């Protein structure tokens, strides 16, 4: 009887430990560690990049710093590439991803997203001399994209006759366009403006906008406490203007009103 009772107790303890592990609370773990690991692509101006003092800066970097400060923990930036953002999250190298990550149905199958904290436009940029007005005009032309980004999929599917040239990060795409290695790039309007600034002689400009995406903060699935806290943080900082101030500082334009309205409508 004593042996049977001991075995039952051991099994119960084991099941309890397994249950605790299965339902670990990421928010509690972050607070206990005193640190939050945020994945950010530092090759994506204006969202994340390295300045002339070799320090990480950008709108997503400042947003991550604000989030860590409000949570009362230290920020650890986990540098990632565009394509590695979600894999880094799923492999537990990061607690959150704040990295110009657009909310899509495909990504939502793998991760949970916060309510939108901003928006990003996918646009096509090229020198002023090129006559490009829509996707059909990309047929037979080389178009530079960032590997794994939303523009990659949009151009691949929307302009099947285009010659898609993929770069590992947005910094490489900028360099290619500014140097003349690529004449057409599918990226965001602020980055097209950065290309024009890098090499004014190329007269780079936005030719047309392909699509507009909502940006979300990504986290691993089934973390209700963390998601509730992040959603509340986004809503608070959209309403108090702090996230908008960060966006204007780097992008030169405000966060669209519909993003704020959607946050306020969220439960």
């Amino acid at each position: 009887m004593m042996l049977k009772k001991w075995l039952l107790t051991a099994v119960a303890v084991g099941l309890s430990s397994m249950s605790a592990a299965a339902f670990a609370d990421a928010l509690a773990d972050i607070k206990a560690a005193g640190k939050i690991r945020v994945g950010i692509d530092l090759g994506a101006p204006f969202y994340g990049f390295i300045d002339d003092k070799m320090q990480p800066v950008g709108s997503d970097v400042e947003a991550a710093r604000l989030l860590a400060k409000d949570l009362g923990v230290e920020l650890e930036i986990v540098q990632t590439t565009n394509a590695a953002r979600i894999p880094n999250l799923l492999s537990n190298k990061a607690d959150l991803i704040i990295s110009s990550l657009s909310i899509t149905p495909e990504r939502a199958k793998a991760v949970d997203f916060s309510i939108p904290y901003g928006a990003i436009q996918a646009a096509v940029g090229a020198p002023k001399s090129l006559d490009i007005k829509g996707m059909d005009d990309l047929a037979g032309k080389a178009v530079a994209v960032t590997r794994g980004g939303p523009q990659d999929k949009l151009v691949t599917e929307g302009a099947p006759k285009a010659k898609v040239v993929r770069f590992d990060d947005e910094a490489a795409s900028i360099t290619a366009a500014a140097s003349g290695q690529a004449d057409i790039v599918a990226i965001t309007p602020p980055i097209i403006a950065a290309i024009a600034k890098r090499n004014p002689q190329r007269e780079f400009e936005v030719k047309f906008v392909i699509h507009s995406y909502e940006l979300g903060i990504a986290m691993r699935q089934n973390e209700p406490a963390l998601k509730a806290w992040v959603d509340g943080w986004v809503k608070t900082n959209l309403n108090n203007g702090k996230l908008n101030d960060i966006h204007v500082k780097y992008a030169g334009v405000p966060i669209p009103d519909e993003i704020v309205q959607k946050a306020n409508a969220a439960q």
Side-chain angles (χ1 to χ4, degrees), residues 33-68:
K35 177 177 68 177
I36 187 164
R37 301 166 302 161
V38 179
I40 304 175
D41 181 357
L42 296 178
F46 66 101
Y47 301 100
F49 57 100
I50 302 295
D51 67 9
D52 54 5
K53 297 179 181 178
M54 301 305 293
Q55 296 299 311
V57 293
S59 61
D60 282 335
V61 174
E62 284 206 24
R65 286 177 176 148
L66 178 62
L67 184 146

Side-chain angles (χ1 to χ4, degrees), residues 80-133:
T80 182
T81 62
N82 196 288
R85 291 172 297 181
I86 289 178
N88 280 343
L89 181 64
L90 297 181
S91 62
N92 198 31
K93 292 179 181 177
D95 301 306
L96 298 175
I97 299 295
I98 306 178
S99 187
S100 58
L101 189 62
S102 53
I103 302 171
T104 68
E106 286 183 1
R107 288 171 175 164
K109 293 176 183 177
V111 301
D112 282 341
F113 283 101
S114 68
I115 59 175
Y117 73 95
I120 183 172
Q121 289 181 319
V124 168
K128 189 176 181 179
S129 58
L130 289 184
D131 185 19
I132 298 173
K133 296 184 175 66

